[in-house]
Amino acid sequence: MSVSLGEPVPDFTATATGETTVTLSELKGKQVVVYFYPKASTPGCTTEGGDFRDRKEAFDATNTVILGVSRDGIRAQENFTAKQGFNFPLISDKDETLCRLFDVIKLKKLYGKEHLGIERSTFLIDADGKLAREWRGVKVKGHAQEVLEAAQTLHAG
């Protein structure tokens, strides 16, 4: 089972940075951005995380929570957060529960070898817990701004 536009996103609880857990149902009433990135502390993922970090106040103004997700362990996520000054939780999805729910594990090629990895993807969940927008195969440049504008439009109703 994976998420579909216009449908409620199934509830989940996940381990996040700052010794916290994130439960989707506890965020009801807020918009939620869930962005998946391939690997902590790599150049593209650092840029993307920084773009979301730098727009957090604007997301806050639209009643929107930002959650970053990768398959990295919690220690790698904590280090990434500390090094980059991220002001939102990063989720460790080592068992790929969220990756499967959002269907972001894809066959990728690196140096001619095929492997399964996270396709950079972002999902915007509305205040009622329904999937409002999705971006798949994301290019980092300008992406966080595009997501912010979608969150602003959704928030404005």
Side-chain angles (χ1 to χ4, degrees):
M1 186 172 105
S2 66
V3 299
S4 305
L5 279 172
E7 295 295 313
V9 175
D11 197 22
F12 62 79
T13 299
T15 303
T17 49
E19 295 178 19
T20 60
T21 54
V22 172
T23 300
L24 184 61
S25 58
E26 291 174 4
L27 298 173
K28 213 166 183 86
K30 292 184 181 293
Q31 297 180 164
V32 182
V33 167
V34 182
Y35 81 92
F36 289 84
Y37 58 94
K39 189 146 183 55
S41 301
T42 56
C45 300
T46 299
T47 299
E48 184 178 28
D51 288 348
F52 278 109
R53 175 196 63 216
D54 296 347
R55 288 166 177 77
K56 184 173 183 301
E57 273 185 38
F59 277 105
D60 289 347
T62 66
N63 194 32
T64 304
V65 175
I66 303 166
L67 302 172
V69 184
S70 77
R71 298 184 301 180
D72 295 290
I74 199 66
R75 183 177 283 131
Q77 299 289 44
E78 293 286 5
N79 291 343
F80 192 28
T81 296
K83 198 170 171 187
Q84 301 303 327
F86 292 146
N87 46 12
F88 54 86
L90 295 181
I91 290 173
S92 169
D93 191 34
K94 273 182 102 67
D95 65 3
E96 297 181 1
T97 302
L98 293 185
C99 290
R100 281 195 298 273
L101 176 64
F102 287 90
D103 190 28
V104 298
I105 299 291
K106 303 291 179 200
L107 195 59
K108 299 169 85 173
K109 267 196 163 112
L110 186 65
Y111 306 120
K113 285 195 166 85
E114 289 188 337
H115 70 285
L116 288 174
I118 291 180
E119 176 185 52
R120 193 181 304 278
S121 308
T122 302
F123 302 86
L124 176 59
I125 302 167
D126 71 15
D128 296 323
K130 291 187 175 126
L131 184 60
R133 287 282 308 269
E134 63 179 12
W135 294 263
R136 295 184 180 271
V138 165
K139 300 284 177 261
V140 172
K141 190 169 171 50
H143 177 63
Q145 183 62 36
E146 186 182 339
V147 175
L148 174 60
E149 289 165 11
Q152 290 167 331
T153 302
L154 187 61
H155 182 67

